[in-house]
Amino acid sequence: MKNLLQKSIRQLTIFAFVVFALSVPSYFLLVDWIWLKELDENNKLIAQRIENEFNEQKISEETLAANIKFWNEIQPVSRIEYATKPLEKDSLYTATRQNIYESKESIERFRGLKTPIKINNHNYVLVVETNVEETEETVGYIAMVTLLFFLILVIGFWVLNRRLSKKLWAPFQDTLSKLKAFNLSSQNKISFLETDTTEFVELNETLDKLLENSIRMYKNQKEFTENASHELQTPLAVLKNKLDILLQSKDLTEKQYHIAEEMNKALIRSSRINKNLLLLSKIENSQFDSSETVDFGHLVLQTMENLEEHFKEKDISLISNIESEVKVKSNSVLTEVLINNLIINAIRHTSYGGAITVELSKSSFSVRNSGIEMLNPDLLFKRFSRMSVDNSGSGLGLSIVKEITKFQNWKVSYSFENNEHIFTIVF
């Protein structure tokens, strides 16, 4: 990627090159037009001088005819011809032909003037032609000089841009670096660098207001989530206790027992959801220490051992490839939750008699389970999204996995290959 100033100077350079390219033919046309205009004026002066010189001699007709004949012989590019009546107006033209004064072949341009003159009160037509200098060569020199100054100008722009951009954009870079390092959970305001640039002052003032509102809303949301989760724990526990007592009663009919059992399942699920929401809130608020060294392999083996009954219940084949001594910097509680959620998710969504593969290496941890079709990656890690008809889960397991990996600066990904769902954590 390129920064804003590089993009702008690049566009300006391209524009300048286009203008320069268009200026070359413009120079040619302009210089050629100026020279032709000057040659026309010069030919006019030559015609007036010739007319005056012939008239000043005051010679006889015979001598005049002889002089005109001699003139036409020694001036091959100019000639005087007798006319019965004067031309109505001057005629200007450009001719291209061999230059008779060049021994080698040289095709050149000539600017001509055909104008009426009077000698001894007789009408004549004078044709004067002047060689047009090579405009291409002149334009070439002009273009070279222009290109030289153009390159100096562009190089100067780039150098000045590099030097000035650091100073001019220092407040913006300071603001950007502080925003990158800003952590909403810390709830600390940012002190931006003072600047006298109007745009940067307005930007910092706007960001101050935005961050202040964000911190206030974040604080309110955090307090609400924590308070709601904590307050729900007590009534949920009381309801669970009362239902347990009710289920143990011998006076319940079979219908009443089934109703109470369904209520108990719903209550257990509600309690699980509440605990998971509280856990998500704590993770998002960075309320866990992730500086301890955790034996990842030990936690994986322990989790698989704890879930052994679940594998047997669905007759799931478990294949494991666990490297030893895989140590990671993380939080042991969150790491155990992550492993547990991934394996339970695989068990829940693996059909009876299926297979699950758990692999651990120095750089990654993956859980594979057999499946039929690929899940929607856009909904997979969203809260309360349902990828199957199984409603026994809370709908927050993979969301918690996503938040834990974000908290630990790990990466989680999902893919579907060879009829297997693959969840991979890269450390």
Side-chain angles (χ1 to χ4, degrees):
M1 292 189 294
K2 298 181 180 179
N3 61 42
L4 182 62
L5 287 177
Q6 286 180 332
K7 289 185 176 181
S8 61
I9 198 69
R10 183 167 176 252
Q11 297 298 324
L12 289 174
T13 304
I14 294 174
F15 175 74
F17 267 115
V18 172
V19 173
F20 170 75
L22 293 175
S23 69
V24 175
S26 301
Y27 281 141
F28 176 82
L29 294 174
L30 179 62
V31 171
D32 194 61
W33 178 80
I34 293 174
W35 275 353
L36 292 179
K37 184 179 179 182
E38 292 295 325
L39 288 177
D40 290 339
E41 293 178 358
N42 180 67
N43 287 342
K44 191 68 177 177
L45 292 174
I46 292 175
Q48 291 175 358
R49 181 171 58 82
I50 293 174
E51 182 180 13
N52 292 336
E53 287 179 354
F54 271 100
N55 285 323
E56 287 173 357
Q57 293 179 12
K58 297 180 180 180
I59 56 179
S60 63
E61 297 295 331
E62 293 80 7
T63 305
L64 176 61
N67 287 347
I68 290 176
K69 181 180 179 183
F70 179 71
W71 172 270
N72 290 337
E73 290 177 355
I74 65 174
Q75 295 287 340
V77 295
S78 300
R79 60 187 180 274
I80 302 173
E81 298 176 350
Y82 179 77
T84 56
K85 58 180 181 178
L87 290 176
E88 294 181 359
K89 61 179 181 178
D90 294 344
S91 177
L92 301 172
Y93 64 91
T94 302
T96 304
R97 65 169 185 271
Q98 170 67 32
N99 190 345
I100 62 174
Y101 296 107
E102 293 285 346
S103 58
K104 59 181 180 179
E105 184 177 351
S106 177
I107 304 299
E108 297 181 4
R109 286 194 306 157
F110 292 84
R111 186 63 174 176
L113 169 66
K114 191 175 184 181
T115 183
I117 61 174
K118 275 195 173 186
I119 303 175
N120 291 350
N121 292 323
H122 294 296
N123 293 317
Y124 290 89
V125 175
L126 173 62
V127 177
V128 180
E129 291 185 356
T130 306
N131 186 17
V132 181
E133 298 294 336
E134 294 297 332
T135 56
E136 294 88 350
E137 184 177 353
T138 304
V139 172
Y141 289 130
I142 295 175
M144 288 176 62
V145 174
T146 305
L147 177 61
L148 175 63
F149 282 101
F150 169 77
L151 292 175
I152 294 174
L153 187 65
V154 171
I155 293 172
F157 277 154
W158 280 94
V159 174
L160 289 174
N161 173 64
R162 289 179 64 87
R163 291 185 176 182
L164 293 177
S165 62
K166 293 182 179 180
K167 181 179 179 180
L168 293 175
W169 288 81
F172 176 80
Q173 295 295 340
D174 177 77
T175 299
L176 186 62
S177 62
K178 288 179 178 178
L179 285 175
K180 288 180 178 179
F182 176 72
N183 187 356
L184 190 58
S185 61
S186 65
Q187 301 182 16
N188 294 326
K189 292 187 65 177
I190 298 178
S191 178
F192 295 112
L193 185 68
E194 291 187 4
T195 174
D196 57 357
T197 304
T198 304
E199 290 79 5
F200 293 152
V201 171
E202 292 179 355
L203 174 64
N204 291 343
E205 289 176 352
T206 305
L207 287 174
D208 274 331
K209 294 179 182 178
L210 179 64
L211 291 174
E212 185 177 350
N213 291 333
S214 298
I215 291 173
R216 185 176 65 254
M217 292 176 63
Y218 175 81
K219 185 177 180 181
N220 293 338
Q221 184 181 16
K222 176 184 175 184
E223 290 178 354
F224 172 79
T225 303
E226 291 178 349
N227 292 338
S229 296
H230 282 297
E231 291 298 326
L232 282 172
Q233 289 291 354
T234 301
L236 286 174
V238 172
L239 286 173
K240 179 70 171 62
N241 184 50
K242 298 295 183 182
L243 273 174
D244 287 341
I245 295 174
L246 182 62
L247 287 170
Q248 294 174 8
S249 174
K250 297 180 180 180
D251 297 332
L252 289 178
T253 65
E254 185 177 353
K255 184 178 180 180
Q256 291 172 335
Y257 178 84
H258 286 301
I259 293 174
E261 182 65 26
E262 290 298 322
M263 292 173 62
N264 187 49
K265 290 180 181 179
L267 190 60
I268 292 173
R269 184 169 179 272
S270 298
S271 179
R272 188 186 304 120
I273 291 174
N274 186 66
K275 290 180 180 179
N276 286 339
L277 285 173
L278 182 59
L279 176 61
L280 278 171
S281 177
K282 290 182 178 180
I283 295 172
E284 291 172 347
N285 297 336
S286 302
Q287 294 179 240
F288 291 93
D289 178 24
S290 61
S291 60
E292 58 182 309
T293 301
V294 177
D295 188 341
F296 205 101
H298 173 72
L299 291 179
V300 173
L301 293 173
Q302 181 178 307
T303 301
M304 289 192 299
E305 183 179 347
N306 293 337
L307 297 173
E308 186 176 354
E309 291 299 323
H310 292 78
F311 290 109
K312 292 180 179 179
E313 184 181 346
K314 298 185 71 173
D315 193 24
I316 295 174
S317 301
L318 176 61
I319 304 171
S320 61
N321 183 13
I322 311 298
E323 286 190 21
S324 59
E325 299 298 321
V326 177
K327 308 286 187 179
V328 294
K329 283 282 186 181
S330 64
N331 181 277
S332 59
V333 174
L334 293 182
T335 304
E336 187 174 357
V337 170
L338 180 144
I339 297 169
N340 188 74
N341 282 7
L342 284 177
I343 296 179
I344 286 180
N345 180 75
I347 294 173
R348 183 175 291 122
H349 296 93
T350 301
S351 57
Y352 186 87
I356 293 178
T357 302
V358 179
E359 295 180 341
L360 174 66
S361 66
K362 300 291 184 182
S363 59
S364 65
F365 169 66
S366 67
V367 178
R368 303 167 176 255
N369 67 286
S370 54
I372 300 174
E373 60 180 356
M374 184 176 184
L375 304 177
N376 187 347
D378 296 331
L379 301 176
L380 200 57
F381 296 101
K382 289 188 176 181
R383 298 180 184 184
F384 301 111
S385 60
R386 293 291 177 185
M387 296 291 104
S388 70
V389 295
D390 187 350
N391 293 321
S392 58
S394 65
L396 295 170
L398 292 180
S399 299
I400 293 175
V401 170
K402 181 72 174 180
E403 290 301 323
I404 292 174
T405 55
K406 188 188 298 183
F407 176 75
Q408 300 287 172
N409 292 321
W410 297 342
K411 290 184 179 180
V412 58
S413 62
Y414 164 77
S415 61
F416 185 75
E417 300 175 5
N418 301 322
N419 292 327
E420 280 188 324
H421 301 287
I422 307 170
F423 289 87
T424 304
I425 307 294
V426 178
F427 307 130

